[in-house]
Amino acid sequence: MTSSDKSTPAPTPTPYAERTYRSAAGIAGGVLLLVLAGWLGGDAVINGDGRTPWIALAGLLLGVPLVVAFTLRPLVSAGEARIRVRNPLRTITAPWAAVTDIRSGYSTELFAGDRKYQLWAIPVSLRARKRAARATARSDRPSRADALNPHMDAVRAWSDQAVDDLRELRERNAASEAAQGGITVRWAYEVIAPAVAGAIVLAVLLAVTS
């Protein structure tokens, strides 16, 4: 047998990298709030009198987890098998076969297992939609650029483009064997527990001082 008779095995398909979506504005706002809370709370702890430092610590124990939960924590990650939605207080993992639709109206929503889940990591901006609509209207006008690039895509708001990407992933992978299964929901006890503890301590301190 000569070397030309040897068959070359077909290359294994490379899996698609998992896509992640987060709100840059939410992250920036969360960082600013944490810096402000650390500055004000730290000043109250160091320079406060009486029960003020303890009230400040309880307030931080309550407020910091909530700020993190609603600004830094939200995340949507999607791969070939499933979508994972990390919202402020819980994480939803759904295989693509269980997802019936993903919509973007006044908020971005995932429909799976007869339930609706909001995607906090992909907020809808009506202002961004209006800017995208104006840019699309301008691109529809005949111009030299259109002649050079007749296949130019319409401008889309970031949230709408993210929904389009997720819908494409669902349609492409929902029938695969890896995309079957049930939906799992896990509560974020690492956020809930310290926030509840801080609320209880703060309520006790305020009741004692009143």
Side-chain angles (χ1 to χ4, degrees):
M1 181 186 298
T2 63
S3 59
S4 60
D5 295 330
K6 295 180 180 179
S7 59
T8 303
T12 303
T14 303
Y16 289 93
E18 190 168 78
R19 304 181 188 182
T20 58
Y21 303 87
R22 305 187 74 172
S23 171
I27 294 174
V31 171
L32 289 176
L33 287 175
L34 290 175
V35 170
L36 182 62
W39 175 43
L40 296 176
D43 181 70
V45 170
I46 295 172
N47 300 318
D49 298 324
R51 292 190 176 88
T52 299
W54 297 104
I55 293 175
L57 286 174
L60 290 173
L61 185 60
L62 167 63
V64 169
L66 294 179
V67 170
V68 171
F70 284 90
T71 59
L72 305 183
R73 175 180 159 81
L75 170 73
V76 172
S77 61
E80 293 184 320
R82 55 99 179 107
I83 180 172
R84 184 167 64 95
V85 180
R86 196 171 71 189
N87 281 341
L89 300 181
R90 59 182 180 174
T91 299
I92 302 98
T93 303
W96 287 119
V99 177
T100 57
D101 196 9
I102 302 173
R103 301 177 190 171
S104 179
Y106 291 104
S107 63
T108 308
E109 299 166 336
L110 170 76
F111 293 83
D114 297 328
R115 296 288 302 275
K116 179 176 69 175
Y117 305 96
Q118 187 171 349
L119 276 59
W120 283 75
I122 309 178
V124 172
S125 171
L126 298 181
R127 180 178 297 178
R129 276 184 178 166
K130 290 179 180 178
R131 286 200 302 266
R134 288 196 296 268
T136 300
R138 287 195 299 269
S139 67
D140 287 340
R141 298 170 187 167
S143 65
R144 183 181 178 185
D146 295 332
L148 295 176
N149 187 9
H151 302 292
M152 182 181 296
D153 293 333
V155 180
R156 301 277 284 162
W158 174 76
S159 60
D160 295 332
Q161 183 60 56
V163 168
D164 290 345
D165 294 343
L166 294 174
R167 283 176 173 171
E168 180 185 354
L169 278 173
R170 181 184 70 88
E171 292 173 0
R172 187 169 58 204
N173 299 301
S176 68
E177 183 178 352
Q180 310 303 310
I183 302 168
T184 60
V185 178
R186 186 186 72 85
W187 288 95
Y189 294 108
E190 67 275 13
V191 172
I192 298 173
V196 170
I200 293 174
V201 174
L202 185 62
V204 171
L205 289 173
L206 293 176
V208 169
T209 56
S210 60

